[in-house]
Amino acid sequence: MTQQIVPQPGILEIAPYKGGADKVEGVADVVKLSSNENPFGPSPAAVKAAQEACVTAHRYPPGDHIELRRAIADKFGLEADRIICGAGSDEIISFLCQTYAGPGDEVLYSEHGFAMYKISALAAGATPVAAPERNRTSDVDALLAAVTDRTRILFVADPNNPTGTMVGGQGLRRLAESLPGHVLLVIDGAYAEFVDGFDGGAGLVDQFDNVVMTRTFSKLYGLGGLRVGWGYGPAHVIDALNRVRGPFNVSQVQIKAAVAALDDDDHTAFSLSENTRLRAWLAAELDKLGVPSDSSFGNFILARFADAEEAQACNAALQAAGLIVRGVAGYGLPECLRITIGDEAACQRVVAAVAAFKDGSA
Ligand SMILES: *Cc1c(COP(=O)(O)O)cnc(C)c1O
């Protein structure tokens, strides 16, 4: 009998997501450097706030997230009314596709763009379209050239994951100015806080009717496991997204933890300065070993090997040494490994393991 219960078109084209592993069989001292998590964990104040919020877990959370929206607005100089909160920025990306793209529409992103754009586009029944990059960097001209009458959304992560490279403020501005009005430009600022002086695209949101920014508490703020993200956009976009959003999509535990995390400037400053220092050190040491990487603006580097085979072999050697990094063949970068910047000890272990691999002693 033929199966009569069938998913909507596009759904079965979504490859099941494979997250970073966190164990290696037979290795005790494992460090996970595969998901761009904060190696120093969440702010202790955020942990305390989450614990306290658990006491009232029998109560539904406020559906308007106003406490968190105000805290975000104060911190980044934005308008609370034009902020929407989600279960990670992944959920905001999903709301955007659901709201603005459907069958027959195209969702555009760049060649090595973040995986959720394609997944959410397919889930909405839309057609994902990838534009070529130049030197592992989103190419403004190629993106503009790929726009058609059917394009509804253009996603650009700046900095991008897994490449770590940036279009930068001027390139983003050129995109915003050149895109036709029927295309929504979504600037994904998951790593915006790591870039000194970068507003993540907030200024463009204030200026254009078709620009949205997404942000997250998962990377710098160390709350990936709690799932808190947000978006900032023109009033008409936020209004539409809020109609799609379930009223209780973010729990009070998430809200309280995120508010406390935003307030812990010491933890944030420490995390940032260690990332900057260790990212430069790790990149330079690997470069000396014949493993170059593009200048990264995030909390990870994309290490480049001679070819896919060498990248795979080094990945295996790192694993055997208890270091879990991320293969990115699925992003069209089989010769690369993405390595999250860990604490100093973790970075030293990575360098030692790559050195041993390169000289054949691993
Ligand atoms: C990690 C990441 C996100 C999503 O993170 P959430 O945990 O869902 O907030 C979004 N975009 C990019 C580019 C990322 O790397």
Side-chain angles (χ1 to χ4, degrees), residues 87-90 93 114 117 157 161 188 190-191 216 218-219 227-229:
S89 50
D90 281 357
I93 293 168
F114 182 55
Y117 310 148
N161 167 19
D188 177 343
Y191 304 93
T216 184
S218 299
K219 306 291 162 49
R227 317 301 305 126
V228 197

Side-chain angles (χ1 to χ4, degrees), residues 24-345:
V24 183
E25 210 58 55
V27 183
D29 191 8
V30 170
V31 187
K32 186 179 175 216
L33 303 170
S34 53
S35 298
N36 299 344
E37 295 152 342
N38 185 330
F40 307 107
S43 150
V47 174
K48 185 159 171 278
Q51 283 167 339
E52 286 168 6
C54 279
V55 175
T56 52
H58 60 301
R59 302 286 180 207
Y60 275 91
D64 61 5
H65 313 148
I66 186 62
E67 185 182 355
L68 178 54
R69 290 191 292 113
R70 282 215 183 98
I72 292 168
D74 287 350
K75 191 83 196 173
F76 298 103
L78 309 174
E79 276 183 45
D81 285 350
R82 294 195 281 118
I83 292 171
I84 178 172
C85 301
S89 50
D90 281 357
E91 193 180 35
I92 308 293
I93 293 168
S94 165
F95 291 159
L96 285 161
C97 287
Q98 234 183 303
T99 303
Y100 292 106
D105 297 333
E106 293 173 356
V107 172
L108 179 61
Y109 47 83
S110 69
E111 192 182 351
H112 308 301
F114 182 55
M116 284 311 298
Y117 310 148
K118 182 177 182 180
I119 293 172
S120 292
L122 286 169
T127 305
V129 177
E133 296 193 8
R134 195 191 289 222
N135 298 325
R136 295 167 300 279
T137 307
S138 302
D139 181 338
V140 170
D141 294 303
L143 286 166
L144 289 172
V147 171
T148 72
D149 289 349
R150 301 185 154 203
T151 310
R152 293 289 169 266
I153 306 177
L154 164 55
F155 284 105
V156 180
D158 225 35
N160 183 46
N161 167 19
T163 54
T165 58
M166 273 189 97
V167 169
Q170 285 197 353
L172 292 176
R173 171 161 293 277
R174 197 152 73 78
L175 272 177
E177 284 170 352
S178 313
L179 275 178
H182 68 271
V183 181
L184 183 65
L185 171 61
V186 180
I187 301 170
D188 177 343
Y191 304 93
E193 293 90 353
F194 291 100
V195 187
D196 203 22
F198 178 51
D199 71 356
L204 295 175
V205 172
D206 286 339
Q207 214 186 321
F208 292 85
D209 206 31
N210 61 333
V211 180
V212 173
M213 168 179 80
T214 61
R215 302 283 285 264
T216 184
F217 283 88
S218 299
K219 306 291 162 49
L220 176 62
Y221 295 105
L223 294 176
L226 265 194
R227 317 301 305 126
V228 197
W230 52 281
Y232 181 61
H236 70 100
V237 172
I238 298 304
D239 172 63
L241 298 181
N242 268 323
R243 292 166 196 257
V244 170
R245 174 179 74 80
F248 308 120
N249 64 325
V250 183
S251 75
Q252 188 72 338
V253 176
Q254 290 161 285
I255 290 169
K256 290 288 185 185
V259 169
L262 270 186
D263 204 34
D264 190 345
D265 291 330
D266 290 344
H267 187 73
T268 302
F270 175 73
S271 303
L272 274 177
S273 70
E274 284 297 273
N275 182 68
T276 304
R277 176 176 80 84
L278 293 166
R279 183 181 62 197
W281 182 80
L282 180 64
E285 292 300 311
L286 293 186
D287 197 50
K288 284 187 217 161
L289 295 169
V291 181
S293 53
D294 301 310
S295 288
S296 169
F297 293 90
N299 63 345
F300 57 91
I301 61 170
L302 186 67
R304 260 190 348 266
F305 294 83
D307 50 29
E309 203 182 337
E310 192 191 28
Q312 262 185 28
C314 188
N315 196 1
L318 286 165
Q319 273 220 16
L323 299 162
I324 301 175
V325 303
R326 188 65 156 248
V328 283
Y331 279 95
L333 295 160
E335 73 284 14
C336 298
L337 297 175
R338 192 191 68 196
I339 307 173
T340 302
I341 309 303
D343 62 12
E344 184 161 338

